[in-house]
Amino acid sequence: MRICLVLEGSYPYVHGGVSTWMHSYIQAMPEHEFVLWVIGAKAADRSRFVYDLPNNVAEVHEVFLDDALRLYGEQRPVHFTPQEHEALRELVRLGHPDWEILFRLYQERKINPMSYLKSEAFLRILETICEERYPYIAFADAFHTIRSMMLPVLYLLGTFVPQADAYHAISTGYGGLLASLGSWKYKKPLMLTEHGIYTREREEEIIRASWVAPAFKKQWIRFFYMLS
């Protein structure tokens, strides 16, 4: 069996409990082939592994969130169907988006994430959100905050999906999103195991964070709950 392990911010870049468990997990099943689909924060960490990968690791696919910052928008406008508009609207509002529609939009139509984030449709949704939730906050602050939430997600939705017989995510969040994408694309089983409660860990991190303006802490927390 070919198993795709979807990892975020852990194995094989750093030592620790989760990484040690992942390494042992792979070594304990030499009869299976593993593909590592790993999410990192910075592309500068590419291939900087602190583990010697077991022989049954066939491939490593690295995705770095800061690569999303290097995207450029398309010049031509993109036309979305009403269903696509609704799915994108729910995503930006941090509600209950139809993920299957979003998967098709970025995997099959290959939409550039910046094409939506530079569109009038995005600005109209953002205006509504600001009127409802942030009437006394500068629009520019809300724009950059919500755009920084959406860009990595839209970027990940369009990334290359390695093929496997099963997808195992060790957390929700970005890792859970990619595992769901792989399961949808190839119609294969998805397994999720969490070694901490990802949403609670992100919530505690955001509450303490100095990089998040107090007005937007609830929004960031809600974002990770939506992904979960």
Side-chain angles (χ1 to χ4, degrees), residues 107-120:
Q107 282 292 311
E108 296 175 0
R109 290 190 61 189
K110 305 292 185 183
I111 300 298
N112 185 319
M114 294 304 296
S115 294
Y116 179 67
L117 295 177
K118 289 185 175 182
S119 71
E120 184 175 347

Side-chain angles (χ1 to χ4, degrees), residues 141-213:
D141 292 343
F143 172 81
H144 289 294
T145 296
I146 295 175
R147 182 180 178 277
S148 67
M149 290 179 190
M150 295 297 109
L151 183 55
V153 171
L154 299 183
Y155 169 67
L156 290 176
L157 290 178
T159 194
F160 171 78
V161 181
Q163 191 164 359
D165 298 312
Y167 293 84
H168 179 187
I170 65 164
S171 70
T172 56
Y174 298 120
L177 176 64
L178 285 191
S180 298
L181 177 62
S183 177
W184 166 82
K185 187 175 181 71
Y186 295 113
K187 305 298 184 288
K188 299 297 182 179
L190 165 65
M191 180 169 68
L192 168 68
T193 54
E194 285 206 292
H195 299 264
I197 303 302
Y198 183 93
T199 47
R200 282 294 301 157
E201 291 175 352
R202 297 293 77 74
E203 184 173 2
E204 291 170 6
E205 177 185 318
I206 290 165
I207 289 170
R208 297 192 301 267
S210 59
W211 59 269
V212 183

Side-chain angles (χ1 to χ4, degrees), residues 17-137:
V18 172
S19 294
T20 300
W21 184 81
M22 281 285 94
H23 194 63
S24 299
Y25 175 106
I26 297 168
Q27 290 179 313
M29 294 189 286
E31 71 277 15
H32 296 301
E33 182 178 88
F34 287 88
V35 176
L36 305 185
W37 196 5
V38 294
I39 304 169
K42 298 179 180 179
D45 294 330
R46 188 180 304 278
S47 300
R48 293 184 176 179
F49 305 154
V50 298
Y51 286 86
D52 293 326
L53 299 181
N55 292 332
N56 55 330
V57 174
E59 299 172 13
V60 180
H61 296 271
E62 299 174 273
V63 183
F64 296 97
L65 298 181
D66 68 342
D67 279 340
L69 302 175
R70 289 178 268 277
L71 293 174
Y72 294 93
E74 297 173 350
Q75 297 303 310
R76 60 182 179 83
V78 176
H79 300 286
F80 300 100
T81 68
Q83 293 80 12
E84 290 167 347
H85 268 299
E86 179 60 23
L88 288 163
R89 189 182 78 89
E90 277 296 294
L91 179 67
V92 176
R93 290 179 61 84
L94 308 181
H96 300 281
D98 187 323
W99 290 104
E100 185 171 348
I101 290 176
L102 295 176
F103 291 163
R104 288 202 304 267
L105 186 60
Y106 288 92
Q107 282 292 311
E108 296 175 0
R109 290 190 61 189
K110 305 292 185 183
I111 300 298
N112 185 319
M114 294 304 296
S115 294
Y116 179 67
L117 295 177
K118 289 185 175 182
S119 71
E120 184 175 347
F122 173 70
L123 287 176
R124 297 291 81 80
I125 292 172
L126 189 57
E127 285 177 353
T128 301
I129 291 172
C130 288
E131 289 171 357
E132 293 175 353
R133 303 176 187 173
Y134 307 110
Y136 305 111
I137 300 296

